Amino acid sequence: MKKGKLGKNGTRKRTDPQKLWDRMFIAEKRMQGWTLERITAGLNETRAGLYTLNQASVHLDLQGIEQQWKASILRDIDTAKGRELAELDRLGDEAWQAWERSKAQYRQATVIVDGVAEGDGAPPKKRKSKIVTEDQHGDPRFMDTILRIQDRRAKILGLNAPITVANPDGSPLAAGQSLAPIVTVVIAPPPAT
């Protein structure tokens, strides 16, 4: 393995492959619960003769690793939210179509046959057709489904304002205070950041 170049203070600088190996070592040991001091000591033992790292260098590498982890988690969360929203879109489309179908005019055709004895096979003497149409007002179950999908979407996107239960004078509840005498519910916008 190549030794690192000499830095300004005469110590060896790490090559890019060495930095990558060090970061993998640091990440693995951090996940195992090692402290910064222990990681630094362990890393210096494995790299003896090549270069020596101080805690500040290991700490900078660790910060970089943690930033990568956070960025990865955010991407994963955004991807999961996107998948969930796409599925809600599909379910919402189906619910809206079912809602529209449930509002369509109801038609029932009835054929009335008079004068036929059951099972005698004789041709009917009189045949009447009757068509009944009724206006429908929609099945409320589909609208309830649509509202639940919209509520789920708002939760995923963080659109719901937090609800704060307060005393009638607007002061916050004390720890352990009963909600029974409280009659005021304040819907507050999220705090400014």
Side-chain angles (χ1 to χ4, degrees), residues 21-43 46 58 62 65 69:
W21 188 93
D22 289 348
R23 282 183 164 221
M24 290 180 353
F25 180 91
I26 292 167
E28 178 183 339
K29 299 309 177 190
R30 179 52 120 190
M31 287 187 285
Q32 292 175 3
W34 284 26
T35 64
L36 182 61
E37 294 82 14
R38 188 172 174 200
I39 293 171
T40 304
L43 188 58
T46 62
V58 174
L62 186 57
I65 292 165
W69 287 346

Side-chain angles (χ1 to χ4, degrees), residues 55-193:
Q55 282 187 17
S57 296
V58 174
H59 184 260
L60 287 173
D61 281 348
L62 186 57
Q63 283 180 326
I65 292 165
E66 288 173 347
Q67 286 176 350
Q68 288 176 333
W69 287 346
K70 287 176 186 174
S72 175
I73 288 169
L74 292 176
R75 278 192 306 273
D76 292 347
I77 289 171
D78 286 343
T79 300
K81 282 182 178 181
R83 271 195 307 265
E84 186 70 17
L85 291 171
E87 178 65 11
L88 289 174
D89 285 344
R90 186 187 69 76
L91 292 171
D93 288 344
E94 288 184 22
W96 275 111
Q97 290 172 16
W99 168 254
E100 291 301 325
R101 282 191 307 271
S102 75
K103 293 189 318 181
Q105 205 172 49
Y106 173 74
R107 294 175 55 113
Q108 180 178 3
T110 306
V111 177
I112 300 169
V113 179
D114 289 334
V116 176
E118 209 171 288
D120 70 1
K125 296 180 182 172
K126 201 174 186 187
R127 184 178 213 154
K128 293 186 213 174
S129 294
K130 179 180 177 185
I131 297 177
V132 176
T133 58
E134 282 182 40
D135 288 333
Q136 300 293 309
H137 300 290
D139 188 334
R141 293 175 299 175
F142 297 122
M143 188 52 66
D144 182 55
T145 299
I146 292 166
L147 291 173
R148 282 186 286 131
I149 288 170
Q150 290 172 343
D151 183 53
R152 178 80 174 131
R153 178 185 308 284
K155 285 178 184 173
I156 290 171
L157 295 173
L159 301 177
N160 296 339
I163 297 176
T164 305
V165 180
N167 287 309
D169 64 359
S171 63
L173 294 178
Q177 182 177 349
S178 171
L179 294 177
I182 305 300
V183 292
T184 307
V185 175
V186 178
I187 298 178
T193 53

